[in-house]
Amino acid sequence: MIALIVKQTCNLSSASKALPIKCLPQSFYRRIQRFFAGQYFDYRQISQLIFNIFSFDKVQLTLDRTNWKWGKRDINILMLAIVYRGIAIPIVWTLLNKRGNSDTKERIALIQRFISIFGKDRLCCTNLSVKAFSAI
């Protein structure tokens, strides 16, 4: 974890060269891979950590989706993010098991996950579709 912080990247190849250790960078790279492969990340706690780091009170949300191919596999992520100083900070997301756009039900489910973690009172305004937001 220190190597990731020192290099300020989540690129494991770059992080493997960050610390003065007595093994080859390739060995350290593989060690980092094994560490992350065996870890369980509680995404609810990660969302709360992000929220607390920035000391958010009321937030504006934005919804985005990205889709790309990894070999023959489609990677399709629906992301709910907090708008902060001109950037979007991912806070809650879901992997869609399909190509293409999300549907209203999937968007509502993502917003409901945010509300279950942080509550409706944390929302100040949103640029989400009126239909999706009013259905909550």
Side-chain angles (χ1 to χ4, degrees), residues 55-67:
S55 301
F56 291 126
D57 183 33
K58 299 269 187 185
V59 295
Q60 178 181 354
L61 300 176
T62 187
L63 190 62
D64 195 13
R65 184 190 59 82
T66 184
N67 190 183

Side-chain angles (χ1 to χ4, degrees), residues 27-108:
S27 300
F28 190 52
Y29 174 79
R30 185 64 189 122
R31 188 180 299 173
I32 295 170
Q33 284 182 317
R34 284 193 301 269
F35 170 79
F36 282 111
Q39 297 302 312
Y40 167 76
F41 293 97
D42 184 335
Y43 293 101
R44 185 180 181 103
Q45 288 183 340
I46 292 170
S47 295
Q48 290 171 325
L49 175 66
I50 292 167
F51 205 88
N52 292 334
I53 284 173
F54 288 91
S55 301
F56 291 126
D57 183 33
K58 299 269 187 185
V59 295
Q60 178 181 354
L61 300 176
T62 187
L63 190 62
D64 195 13
R65 184 190 59 82
T66 184
N67 190 183
W68 70 91
K69 281 241 187 243
W70 182 272
K72 294 182 179 182
R73 185 172 176 208
D74 284 299
I75 309 291
N76 194 356
I77 303 171
L78 181 61
M79 182 86 55
L80 190 64
I82 294 172
V83 177
Y84 179 72
R85 296 186 181 180
I87 63 168
I89 301 169
I91 195 76
V92 182
W93 56 91
T94 189
L95 295 174
L96 302 176
N97 194 19
K98 63 180 181 180
R99 289 181 61 184
N101 293 332
S102 60
D103 60 33
T104 302
K105 188 169 80 173
E106 291 163 331
R107 293 187 292 269
I108 290 171

